[in-house]
Amino acid sequence: MKRNANYDNLEQSYLFSTIAKKVNEFAQNNPDKKIIRLGIGDVTKPLCPAVINAMHKAVDEMSVQETFRGYGPEQGYDFLRTAVQNYYKNYNVDLELDEIFISDGAKSDLGNILDLFDNDNTVLVPNPVYPVYVDTNLMAGRNVKFIDANEENEFLPLPDNSVKADLIYICSPNNPTGAAYNRKQLAELVKYALNNNAIILYDAAYEAFIEDNDIPHSIFEIDGARNCAIEFCSLSKTAGFTGTRCGYTIVPNALGKLNKMWVRRQTTKFNGVPYIVQRGAEAVFTKEGMKEIRVNIDYYKKNAKIISDTLKECGIWHVGGKHSPYIWLKCPNNMKSWEFFDYLLKNAQVVGTPGAGFGRNGEGFFRLTSFGSYENTLEAMERFKQLF
Ligand code: MLT
């Protein structure tokens, strides 16, 4: 047996597991303290009534011989694929049903998609970045190059033609910085990919938070993107599915063999998302569902504003929070990211995510999420005001 030695190139544990371990240790040693968690981007509002009703109905169907369902199609049921297809029409994107693949979330598919690409490809990843893009490639032993995201480029880097890359990861609105690419910037990116015969792996998990018309919800709003991009989206943040698990991946037919290869991959290694969950997901795209999820998104946006206003009041540099549930701030008093994490936990019992956990350029920065409850967000910000 020869184990995969590429795992030796990874950090010892996944960022959010390391944080959870530290916070649990602190909680054990300080049982009297109320810890407020604004670290991992996990939602707190329950699933909306439209989703719950649809799932109840689906459970009932599963209890009756005539409507019981066993294995479903690996690519997802047509009722949900059609709902996704119609959703994209809101952004003037016409998709074929066979370009839409229902998944158990963006994270899994962002890793799984790599099955389609030779290990010899060069991967370009912005830094700082959602750690999954880097880790999944390191596990496969691929060469990962970084492109700097920093204050100068407003955390929205774009490759120029001097950079040679075959696969490019882009997350917009961005995790962790909350920055979002506009139409012109994405058009530039598509041009680069087409010129360099590269594929963009576009993570649109936070598209539902976009406020301005100039920020595309989908890379396929850009001319030419069908020839060079795969898009990943998720209902985790859009509709509170972090624990329920459902997302969708778009692999255009224009990408030649890649669409059929993905079908082959999924039919071999995936058995689809549960029927009950897909019925719940379908309900998200109804008129009622859309209205209900908007209420929750607005609730999180209100939290983001509280965080942003407080940081402004404390004179702490920050971005994000507008098209995104994340606020990206500079650690006060020149503290390093993990130093600030420990300081905040010890002195305010507020948990955030150290920017350094997202890469070298995240050092000295820190991420807060607006996914907490309104009351906890308010209390956390009161504690900030006391400290700074
Ligand atoms: C985050 O906090 O960055 C996200 O929750 C991670 C994820 O979506 O997997």
Side-chain angles (χ1 to χ4, degrees):
M1 180 283 277
K2 286 191 190 128
R3 68 181 182 84
N4 181 352
N6 294 320
Y7 277 65
D8 296 342
N9 300 326
L10 301 171
E11 292 290 330
Q12 208 179 358
S13 79
Y14 185 57
L15 174 63
F16 295 105
S17 314
T18 309
I19 293 171
K21 190 162 167 265
K22 269 182 171 262
V23 175
N24 289 343
E25 265 167 29
F26 181 87
Q28 261 170 19
N29 296 332
N30 300 274
D32 53 320
K33 303 271 197 223
K34 179 187 168 192
I35 297 172
I36 300 181
R37 290 175 166 81
L38 304 179
I40 189 161
D42 196 3
V43 293
T44 49
K45 300 292 288 174
L47 295 172
C48 67
V51 170
I52 293 295
N53 291 339
M55 287 171 76
H56 278 164
K57 204 167 146 239
V59 170
D60 289 342
E61 282 178 47
M62 294 297 266
S63 73
V64 178
Q65 188 69 64
E66 289 71 33
T67 48
F68 169 77
R69 309 222 183 190
Y71 289 126
E74 293 90 344
Q75 300 93 328
Y77 285 101
D78 277 359
F79 63 77
L80 180 53
R81 297 165 97 194
T82 306
V84 172
Q85 186 183 43
N86 288 334
Y87 180 69
Y88 271 84
K89 285 190 182 141
N90 294 332
Y91 306 112
N92 298 319
V93 175
D94 286 321
L95 297 175
E96 298 296 330
L97 225 48
D98 66 357
E99 295 177 310
I100 302 168
F101 296 81
I102 304 305
S103 71
D104 66 349
K107 180 178 175 177
S108 326
D109 272 10
L110 279 157
N112 295 336
I113 200 79
L114 296 174
D115 277 7
L116 309 192
F117 301 103
D118 194 280
N119 271 10
D120 201 21
N121 286 300
T122 296
V123 182
L124 188 66
V125 179
N127 183 325
V129 80
Y130 180 40
V132 170
Y133 312 153
V134 178
D135 288 358
T136 48
N137 278 289
L138 291 183
M139 286 171 181
R142 261 191 214 95
N143 179 15
V144 178
K145 273 190 199 168
F146 292 101
I147 176 166
D148 288 333
N150 48 36
E151 280 176 80
E152 285 84 76
N153 56 31
E154 299 179 349
F155 292 98
L156 295 168
L158 287 170
D160 61 41
N161 282 326
S162 68
V163 180
K164 176 75 198 102
D166 306 302
L167 297 173
I168 309 158
Y169 285 84
I170 291 290
C171 176
S172 178
N174 187 263
N175 179 12
T177 67
Y181 288 91
N182 64 27
R183 235 163 261 285
K184 189 163 166 266
Q185 290 165 322
L186 287 184
E188 238 178 273
L189 178 70
V190 166
K191 195 167 155 205
Y192 168 90
L194 292 172
N195 284 344
N196 289 278
N197 200 20
I199 293 280
I200 301 164
L201 301 174
Y202 193 77
D203 182 352
Y206 299 93
E207 61 82 20
F209 287 77
I210 291 172
E211 283 181 10
D212 295 348
N213 282 339
D214 192 37
I215 311 285
H217 287 250
S218 162
I219 185 83
F220 301 121
E221 291 179 51
I222 308 298
D223 282 347
R226 279 167 190 279
N227 296 96
C228 63
I230 296 176
E231 180 160 290
F232 304 84
C233 204
S234 159
L235 296 180
S236 285
K237 320 295 158 112
T238 303
F241 271 56
T242 50
T244 308
R245 309 306 310 153
C246 196
Y248 42 95
T249 297
I250 313 297
V251 187
N253 283 320
L255 295 181
K257 283 194 170 171
L258 290 181
N259 177 287
K260 293 292 165 282
M261 283 167 70
W262 186 240
V263 174
R264 188 70 180 83
R265 192 265 171 214
Q266 292 299 79
T267 46
T268 307
K269 293 197 185 181
F270 187 53
N271 257 338
V273 175
Y275 172 69
I276 297 162
V277 171
Q278 291 196 52
R279 280 293 183 198
E282 181 193 21
V284 170
F285 296 101
T286 59
K287 206 165 156 211
E288 198 186 6
M290 281 285 142
K291 212 162 115 197
E292 290 170 358
I293 61 157
R294 188 48 49 197
V295 173
N296 289 352
I297 291 171
D298 287 347
Y299 175 95
Y300 296 133
K301 279 183 176 278
K302 192 167 151 199
N303 288 346
K305 177 144 183 9
I306 294 169
I307 297 173
S308 182
D309 287 349
T310 307
L311 295 177
K312 217 177 278 165
E313 206 177 312
C314 299
I316 299 173
W317 182 97
H318 64 283
V319 287
K322 186 165 189 278
H323 305 297
S324 148
Y326 299 125
I327 290 101
W328 182 248
L329 59 110
K330 210 176 238 178
C331 302
N333 307 324
N334 289 323
M335 272 187 255
K336 298 235 183 231
S337 300
W338 281 103
E339 192 189 351
F340 185 58
F341 174 89
D342 291 332
Y343 176 84
L344 210 55
L345 184 59
K346 182 161 171 250
N347 296 292
Q349 292 80 57
V350 172
V351 180
T353 310
F358 297 102
R360 175 171 49 83
N361 287 345
E363 183 57 278
F365 291 90
F366 201 72
R367 194 193 77 176
L368 291 173
T369 147
S370 65
F371 283 129
S373 71
Y374 171 73
E375 293 73 21
N376 277 349
T377 306
L378 215 53
E379 191 176 338
M381 290 303 105
E382 283 309 317
R383 295 183 192 176
F384 252 75
K385 283 185 205 166
Q386 308 272 311
L387 278 184
F388 306 108

